[in-house]
């Protein structure tokens, strides 16, 4: 097993991957009724059984019965967005998210990558994502590249396409806030820990600041635990469960002893994995109970705010907003009403539902980079739904979805503005108090 500089194991031998293979009991729950087909973005685009949830489960069953892990099997599983839309639609309670993650862990040792692709893969998952210093360096380099407008040459169209989907770097980075404690405004009602993500520290630094401000304004003391790291969601979705387990142990150790009322994230994709740490570590006696405790305290920030009495005054926002359900919030965590409730509480704001709001936008972690064609086909359909709502602003609750929807507005949209729900709440709070964008009350080192 290879271990990276950051100490994260990024590949596992076949025998070690076996415990992560799809469980027969999960596979057996599927009765092949097909009620999930219409909820599946890849089936909606291709109308191919092998690219539907039912077809993918059928293929997993064949592998469980001894069929080889073929290139075709890997292809059909790779094309799955892991959006879990099928899970919500399934009347038999099939835990498709667990199945696809386990199936990807099982196929990981069978993947063929060139030497260069293996190096990039190991660097990104093993070194870059878990390391603050590497992320800071990558952010600084990207910032220079974006500032001088350096682009991939025209004879590398694929690189150009990837560049168009890459996040804009936001300086100053949020890393400097890690380890600090931000006091509540007024009476302290709650103590919360905020997990700031990995790439979000360089690409969504302003969103992270807005998250701290909104929590402070509503009576929360916000701690940004200093030893936190990447949540491991991208690792789990790519089948790198041992690497994700190492990150899970670090985050649990960083947060749990603080005895916080809640541990919050503003990224639905991260939240879904963070809430499932108990499954990742269920076979580790030293960690299983702590992982369960951690997962029980984990909340999406919209879920947490909707569960407490909001007390920050909010000014008017005159906009017609449509809400795009982030898959890992709606299907992964079952949180649908909280973001909508928060938006409805903003004076002047009109919330208008789009059709199929809980069908994936095609972002799905790094899926839009790896499977760009399907991702863009799914995005085109999503932007047609957005247009049908007539909204001039799109709200969502996941940074990855924001990037994808911004690309959607550029390619297929009508100039709609894309925001995180928290950014709109922050805007409303600041317009009520006439405050600028600085954090409400500065923090101190924890
Ligand atoms: S996953 Fe659920 S909805 Fe889909 S075919 Fe199987 S039982 Fe039916
Ligand atoms: S996770 Fe999403 S893309 Fe994958 S089979 Fe289910 S609905 Fe389809």
């Amino acid at each position: 097993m290879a271990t990276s500089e950051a100490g994260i194991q990024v590949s596992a031998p076949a025998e070690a991957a076996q415990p992560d293979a799809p469980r027969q009991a999960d596979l057996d729950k599927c009765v092949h009724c097909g009620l999930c087909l219409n909820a599946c973005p890849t089936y909606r685009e291709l109308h191919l059984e092998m690219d539907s949830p039912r077809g993918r489960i059928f293929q997993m069953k064949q592998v469980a019965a001894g069929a080889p892990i073929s290139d075709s099997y890997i292809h059909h599983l790779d094309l799955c967005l892991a959006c879990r839309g099928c899970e919500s639609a399934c009347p038999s309670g099939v835990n498709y998210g667990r199945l696809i993650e386990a199936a990807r862990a099982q196929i990981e040792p069978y993947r063929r990558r060139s030497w260069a692709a293996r190096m990039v893969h190991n660097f990104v998952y093993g070194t870059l994502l878990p390391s603050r210093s590497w992320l800071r360096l990558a952010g600084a380099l990207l910032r220079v590249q974006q500032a001088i407008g350096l682009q991939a040459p025209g004879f590398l169209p694929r690189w150009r396409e990837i560049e168009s989907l890459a996040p804009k770097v936001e300086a100053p980075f949020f890393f400097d806030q890690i380890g600090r404690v931000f006091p509540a405004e007024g009476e302290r009602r709650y103590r919360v820990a905020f997990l700031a993500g990995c790439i979000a520290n360089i690409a969504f630094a302003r969103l992270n600041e807005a998250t701290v401000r909104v929590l402070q304004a509503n009576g929360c003391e916000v701690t940004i635990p200093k030893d936190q790291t990447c949540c491991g969601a991208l690792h789990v979705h790519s089948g790198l469960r041992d690497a994700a387990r190492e990150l899970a142990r670090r985050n649990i150790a960083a947060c749990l002893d603080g005895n916080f009322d809640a541990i919050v994230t503003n990224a639905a994709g991260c939240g879904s994995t963070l809430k499932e740490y108990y499954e990742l570590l269920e076979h580790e006696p030293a960690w299983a109970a702590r992982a369960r405790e951690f997962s029980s305290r984990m909340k999406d920030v919209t879920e947490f705010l909707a569960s407490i009495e909001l007390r920050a005054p909010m000014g008017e926002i005159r906009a017609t907003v449509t809400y795009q359900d982030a898959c890992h919030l709606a299907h992964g965590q079952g949180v649908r009403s909280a973001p909508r409730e928060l938006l409805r509480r903003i004076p002047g704001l009109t919330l208008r539902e789009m059709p199929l709001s809980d069908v994936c936008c095609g972002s799905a972690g790094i899926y839009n980079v790896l499977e760009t064609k399907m991702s863009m086909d799914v995005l085109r359909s999503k932007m047609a739904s957005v247009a049908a709502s007539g909204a001039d602003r799109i709200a969502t609750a996941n940074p990855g979805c924001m990037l994808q929807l911004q690309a959607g507005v550029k390619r297929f949209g009508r100039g709609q503005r894309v925001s995180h729900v928290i950014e709109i709440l922050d805007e409303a709070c600041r317009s009520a108090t006439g405050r600028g964008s600085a954090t409400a009350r500065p923090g101190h080192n924890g």
Side-chain angles (χ1 to χ4, degrees):
M1 191 178 292
T3 302
S4 75
E5 278 179 51
I8 302 295
Q9 292 158 343
V10 290
S11 61
E15 61 276 18
Q18 284 314 305
D20 288 326
R23 299 175 195 182
Q24 195 59 46
D26 287 342
L27 292 169
D28 289 343
K29 275 191 181 168
C30 177
V31 295
H32 303 288
C33 64
L35 290 171
C36 52
L37 266 57
N38 255 328
C40 174
T42 56
Y43 183 78
R44 293 176 72 89
E45 295 298 328
L46 299 173
H47 301 287
L48 291 175
E49 177 68 18
M50 298 300 254
D51 291 309
S52 77
R54 182 174 63 185
R56 291 185 177 114
I57 292 170
F58 178 75
Q59 294 167 79
M60 290 178 204
K61 282 185 174 178
Q62 287 186 311
V63 167
I69 292 181
S70 62
D71 287 350
S72 153
Y73 178 62
I74 293 175
H75 167 73
H76 292 297
L77 261 58
D78 280 351
L79 211 56
C80 170
L81 292 136
C83 66
R84 298 168 70 167
C86 46
E87 212 174 294
S88 294
C90 175
S92 302
V94 171
N95 191 331
Y96 183 86
R98 192 157 65 199
L99 283 173
I100 186 71
E101 286 169 5
R104 284 185 173 160
Q106 187 186 29
I107 63 182
E108 184 56 26
Y110 297 85
R111 284 188 187 279
R112 283 187 299 232
R113 291 190 177 95
S114 67
W115 178 84
R118 209 163 49 242
M119 292 295 286
V120 171
H121 178 268
N122 289 352
F123 173 73
V124 169
Y125 288 100
T127 301
L128 180 68
L129 294 176
S131 159
R132 241 174 262 168
S133 29
W134 275 103
L135 280 168
R136 202 189 276 271
L137 177 64
L141 293 174
L142 259 177
R143 191 175 166 211
V144 172
Q145 183 239 332
Q146 290 174 356
I148 59 178
L150 197 64
Q151 279 192 325
F155 60 84
L156 291 174
R158 178 79 182 115
W159 275 106
R160 281 241 163 138
E161 193 164 37
I162 291 172
E163 259 174 15
S164 73
L165 298 168
K168 288 273 169 293
V169 168
E170 293 183 348
F173 302 152
F174 193 76
F175 291 121
D176 292 340
Q177 312 304 335
I178 294 180
R180 306 186 79 188
V181 179
F182 293 85
E185 275 196 54
E187 176 207 352
R188 184 181 83 183
R189 296 192 296 162
Y190 302 97
R191 291 179 60 250
V192 302
F194 173 48
L195 290 177
C198 50
I199 297 167
N201 286 294
I202 53 177
F204 289 92
R206 303 295 82 76
L207 168 62
N208 280 354
E209 288 170 4
T211 305
V212 173
R213 276 195 299 273
V214 172
L215 287 165
Q216 284 183 285
N218 285 290
C220 302
E221 176 188 279
V222 186
T223 299
I224 326 275
K226 79 171 173 359
D227 294 327
Q228 64 177 280
T229 183
C230 165
C231 68
L234 289 175
H235 300 76
V236 169
H237 298 159
S238 303
L240 303 170
R241 289 177 75 81
D242 283 335
R245 287 185 179 106
E246 175 56 27
L247 297 170
R249 288 183 213 106
R250 289 190 197 174
N251 280 323
I252 293 169
C255 296
L256 209 53
D257 295 339
N259 203 21
F260 298 105
D261 296 308
I263 306 166
V264 299
T265 172
N266 58 22
C270 303
S272 171
T273 295
L274 289 158
K275 282 184 180 178
E276 289 171 0
Y277 274 2
Y278 75 94
E279 273 189 8
L280 260 183
L281 298 174
E282 66 185 335
H283 300 301
E284 297 190 19
W287 288 94
R290 278 167 72 74
R292 274 197 301 277
E293 174 67 22
F294 178 93
S295 293
S296 71
R297 289 186 192 221
M298 200 61 228
K299 296 265 185 291
D300 184 80
V301 66
T302 62
E303 180 185 19
F304 176 74
L305 286 168
S307 74
I308 66 173
E309 193 193 333
L310 289 189
R311 67 174 191 195
M314 290 195 275
E316 272 198 359
I317 295 203
R318 293 246 157 245
T320 304
V321 178
T322 193
Y323 176 69
Q324 160 64 19
D325 284 282
C327 296
H328 282 88
L329 197 56
H331 308 302
Q333 301 176 51
V335 177
R336 293 165 184 266
S337 60
R340 291 176 167 85
E341 270 173 40
L342 294 175
L343 289 169
R344 281 197 195 98
R345 288 190 207 173
I346 298 174
L349 186 148
T350 305
L351 181 63
R352 197 173 291 160
E353 291 290 339
M354 69 173 95
L356 303 169
S357 66
D358 66 350
V359 171
C360 185
C361 64
S363 167
I366 53 169
Y367 182 97
N368 57 354
V369 172
L370 300 176
E371 301 288 346
T372 308
K373 172 155 185 347
M374 174 57 75
S375 169
M376 291 303 119
D377 289 347
V378 170
L379 180 59
R380 187 185 295 107
S381 302
K382 174 56 61 185
M383 292 311 294
S385 295
V386 168
S389 76
D392 48 40
R393 202 159 171 181
I394 313 168
T396 189
N398 189 43
C401 306
M402 289 170 68
L403 287 179
Q404 178 81 346
L405 291 165
Q406 280 160 2
V409 170
K410 271 196 204 136
R411 291 177 191 217
F412 318 112
R414 299 177 183 166
Q416 297 96 332
R417 187 170 161 200
V418 179
S419 308
H420 194 290
V421 172
I422 288 298
E423 289 178 322
I424 306 180
L425 277 177
D426 179 52
E427 216 177 298
C429 293
R430 284 189 289 113
S431 88
T433 57
R435 210 185 255 135
S437 61
T439 293
R441 287 179 64 194
H444 55 82
N445 291 327

